[in-house]
């Protein structure tokens, strides 16, 4: 539904139902998630996939570098691995593990 692609999804003014139709509603994401407006989806904090394409790669690393040392808001939310609200060295350690994968 193109009407959902109007920057209102994350505000809770509207959400998309399971069939893709706009519904008025509450904040669409849980407290352990951030709202990805462009994809109208909720993504768990700290999976490291800033562009929500399903993998953690060098483009995500570049985004993490831009967010390092900042408060985790909007485009930086996905670097908030520990949920502290700040992108710091503790988040970097977990991001590195997501980037390189299991040993």
């Amino acid at each position: 539904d193109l009407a959902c692609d109007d920057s209102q999804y994350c505000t809770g003014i509207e959400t998309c139902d399971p069939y893709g139709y706009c519904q008025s509603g509450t904040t669409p994401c849980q407290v352990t998630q951030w709202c990805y407006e462009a994809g109208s989806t909720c993504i768990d904090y700290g999976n490291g996939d800033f562009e929500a394409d399903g993998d953690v790669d060098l483009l995500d690393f570049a985004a993490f570098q831009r967010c390092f040392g900042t408060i985790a808001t909007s485009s930086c939310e996905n670097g908030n691995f520990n949920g502290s609200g700040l992108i710091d060295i503790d988040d970097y350690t977990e991001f590195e593990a997501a980037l390189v994968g299991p040993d």
Side-chain angles (χ1 to χ4, degrees):
D1 187 350
L2 291 177
C4 277
D5 190 21
D6 61 3
S7 300
Q8 297 298 305
Y9 180 78
C10 292
T11 64
I13 293 172
E14 65 189 20
T15 59
C16 293
D17 68 14
Y19 305 103
Y21 295 104
C22 280
Q23 305 292 317
S24 61
T26 60
T27 303
C29 301
Q30 299 175 23
V31 295
T32 59
Q33 298 176 315
W34 64 282
C35 185
Y36 180 58
E37 179 73 51
S40 296
T41 58
C42 297
I43 300 173
D44 291 338
Y45 286 133
N47 73 2
D49 186 10
F50 284 85
E51 71 237 335
D53 66 353
D55 63 349
V56 179
D57 54 23
L58 292 178
L59 290 174
D60 298 305
F61 182 64
F64 186 86
Q65 287 177 312
R66 285 190 298 276
C67 293
F68 190 80
T70 66
I71 296 173
T73 58
S74 63
S75 64
C76 289
E77 289 282 3
N78 215 22
N80 188 18
F81 278 81
N82 60 14
S84 69
L86 179 66
I87 312 298
D88 59 15
I89 194 67
D90 295 326
D91 297 302
Y92 176 77
T93 302
E94 293 185 48
F95 177 78
E96 182 182 30
L99 181 63
V100 299
D103 291 336

